[in-house]
């Protein structure tokens, strides 16, 4: 989840971070979810491994958007987490990103927030331009020097 914090920080999006467990601290999870809106939270990013009930349980307690991040596990390499998070019942949506991809969860949150924030929108546009320029620079290097020079500078 560190990657999500780094992305949010880089976009100057204020956030809070904590540890909550749907199974080990259900009262804490309940309190966290039902009070999120009044604390100013607009989107919740919830990482979960194994049974991965946290994102869905939080989504059942608040109408705020919830983005689930399946955490890689030792037993099934995170596939169990992914399947648990995406199998939500009708009426309880949880957006879900790839296993271990907290960065994309944060970027999705930034995109959602940017629809109502012009300054954040501009930072997002600059981020996309940077992504584009990085690919174009790599393509120029590859095309100009060949693949062998590209992989063995």
């Amino acid at each position: 989840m560190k990657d999500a914090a780094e992305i949010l920080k880089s976009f100057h999006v204020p956030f809070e971070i904590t540890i909550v467990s749907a199974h080990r601290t259900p009262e804490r999870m309940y309190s966290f979810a039902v009070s999120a809106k009044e604390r100013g939270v607009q989107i919740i990013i919830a990482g979960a491994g194994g049974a991965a009930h946290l994102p869905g349980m939080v989504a059942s307690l608040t109408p705020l958007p919830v983005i689930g991040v399946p955490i890689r596990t030792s037993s099934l390499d995170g596939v169990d987490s992914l399947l648990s998070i995406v199998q939500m019942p009708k009426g309880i949506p949880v957006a879900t990103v790839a296993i271990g991809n907290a960065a994309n969860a944060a970027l999705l949150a930034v995109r959602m927030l940017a629809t109502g924030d012009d300054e954040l929108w501009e930072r997002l546009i600059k981020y996309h331009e940077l992504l584009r320029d990085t690919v174009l620079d790599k393509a120029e290097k590859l095309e100009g020097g060949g693949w062998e020079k590209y992989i063995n500078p």
Side-chain angles (χ1 to χ4, degrees):
M1 299 304 289
K2 170 185 71 79
D3 293 342
E6 289 174 348
I7 291 289
L8 294 171
K9 183 178 177 183
S10 74
F11 278 96
H12 310 289
V13 172
F15 62 95
E16 64 179 44
I17 189 166
T18 191
I19 297 174
V20 178
S21 170
H23 300 107
R24 295 179 193 97
T25 60
E27 296 88 359
R28 180 175 168 80
M29 176 202 60
Y30 180 88
S31 175
F32 170 85
V34 298
S35 66
K37 174 92 167 103
E38 66 190 44
R39 291 193 320 275
V41 173
Q42 294 177 281
I43 300 167
I44 297 171
I45 299 172
H53 289 124
L54 182 65
M57 292 302 297
V58 168
S60 74
L61 293 167
T62 179
L64 290 172
V66 176
I67 303 169
V69 180
I71 303 299
R72 192 170 309 282
T73 56
S74 57
S75 57
L76 295 173
D77 210 27
V79 174
D80 50 342
S81 310
L82 173 66
L83 294 175
S84 181
I85 295 172
V86 298
Q87 294 299 321
M88 292 304 304
K90 187 176 184 176
I92 310 295
V94 174
T96 309
V97 296
I99 297 167
N101 202 334
N104 267 1
L107 287 166
L108 179 57
V110 169
R111 286 177 175 214
M112 295 165 80
L113 294 169
T115 63
D117 181 331
D118 291 339
E119 290 178 17
L120 185 54
W121 184 263
E122 288 304 314
R123 289 194 296 274
L124 193 55
I125 295 298
K126 286 182 177 145
Y127 176 81
H128 279 263
E129 290 170 351
L130 179 63
L131 291 177
R132 180 200 62 215
D133 293 347
T134 300
V135 171
L136 293 175
D137 289 345
K138 288 179 179 183
E140 183 178 327
K141 183 179 176 184
L142 174 64
E143 294 164 3
W147 69 271
E148 290 171 320
K149 187 175 180 183
Y150 180 82
I151 61 171
N152 297 311

